Amino acid sequence: MSQKLAQIDEELFTSIKQGNHSAFQSLFDSYWEEAYALVWKKTGSEDDAKDIVQDLFIYIWNNAAKINLKRSFRSYLFAALKYKIINYYVSANKYAFVDGEDLADDENLSVLPHLPMETRELEKILDDEIDALPERMKEILNLSRKEGLSISEIAFRLSIAEKTVKNQLSIGIGRLRESLITKYDLWLPVLIMLIKH
């Protein structure tokens, strides 16, 4: 994402905090399709994907004044979507969870709806497993998972071939799955969802 687009988003979000409906509509129009495509890919359900994305945008509109963006709006949006998707899987599998209120230490995610406390534990598990991978593989996986970059965007960012990115992602995800199956089969459906493309 270019610096200019990030700045435009920031200005729009500032206007949303002041109740500007047209600014909200602009951000919604900019990100709706990409957000919906991501959630549909992760859930496999068109209806659920629509509901998840709409719920998040409604939440953002209603709580904009409380949201303090630490990075870009896009980073916040897709990080929030990731947690919404996790909640979707946690709820579907009837895992117990409670709402997390004290999230000040989670950068850029201090205000998120219905975040299960288990999510933070899962993230820690996944981070630890990724940290054990070779440096370049770890970097590529984190760009994909944490920043939501596509294969072409990662290739451009790192000045490497798209084929290299694909190979590193494939090998890295394979290693993670093997390790997670061995160590954490209780949470495997959610962990696999977290690293799935």
Side-chain angles (χ1 to χ4, degrees):
M1 182 180 196
S2 74
Q3 190 73 27
K4 185 176 180 181
L5 285 175
Q7 186 176 353
I8 291 170
D9 286 353
E10 186 175 346
E11 289 169 2
L12 287 171
F13 192 73
T14 299
S15 295
I16 291 170
K17 284 175 175 278
Q18 298 164 358
N20 186 321
H21 285 84
S22 62
F24 176 79
Q25 189 66 50
S26 293
L27 276 181
F28 180 86
D29 290 343
S30 295
Y31 290 104
W32 162 258
E33 190 173 337
E34 186 181 1
Y36 168 72
L38 170 71
V39 181
W40 184 16
K41 182 178 177 182
K42 297 286 190 181
T43 64
S45 167
E46 292 183 36
D47 290 338
D48 289 340
K50 286 176 185 174
D51 288 344
I52 287 169
V53 176
Q54 286 174 350
D55 286 349
L56 179 57
F57 272 103
I58 290 168
Y59 180 87
I60 289 170
W61 171 254
N62 289 334
N63 295 275
K66 300 178 191 174
I67 300 172
N68 181 25
L69 297 181
K70 302 277 177 70
R71 292 180 287 170
S72 66
F73 174 78
R74 186 183 191 282
S75 294
Y76 174 84
L77 178 69
F78 285 96
L81 277 175
K82 177 176 69 173
Y83 284 105
K84 293 281 281 181
I85 293 165
I86 290 170
N87 272 334
Y88 170 86
Y89 275 87
V90 170
S91 298
N93 286 283
K94 297 180 169 39
Y95 293 123
F97 68 93
V98 294
D99 291 344
E101 296 297 331
D102 184 15
L103 300 171
D105 57 334
D106 285 9
E107 183 184 4
N108 211 25
L109 296 174
S110 58
V111 180
L112 281 178
H114 312 301
L115 177 66
M117 295 306 289
E118 287 90 343
T119 295
R120 297 169 73 179
E121 296 167 19
L122 292 172
E123 286 290 334
K124 177 69 167 62
I125 288 169
L126 207 53
D127 285 341
D128 289 346
E129 293 296 322
I130 290 174
D131 282 344
L133 296 173
E135 197 60 37
R136 179 47 65 99
M137 191 177 291
K138 176 171 72 173
E139 185 178 18
I140 289 171
L141 273 166
N142 281 329
L143 286 172
S144 172
R145 187 173 73 93
K146 293 186 176 179
E147 295 192 32
L149 299 185
S150 67
I151 287 172
S152 59
E153 288 170 333
I154 294 170
F156 179 78
R157 171 86 66 92
L158 300 179
S159 300
I160 57 177
E162 289 187 23
K163 186 175 181 181
T164 301
V165 175
K166 286 180 186 177
N167 288 341
Q168 290 288 296
L169 282 172
S170 178
I171 294 168
I173 289 170
R175 289 186 186 180
L176 286 174
R177 284 186 172 143
E178 187 176 327
S179 178
L180 295 171
I181 286 169
T182 303
K183 298 178 185 176
Y184 308 105
D185 59 352
L186 175 64
W187 286 103
L188 185 61
V190 179
L191 288 165
I192 294 304
M193 184 278 301
L194 281 169
I195 60 175
K196 180 182 172 187
H197 293 278

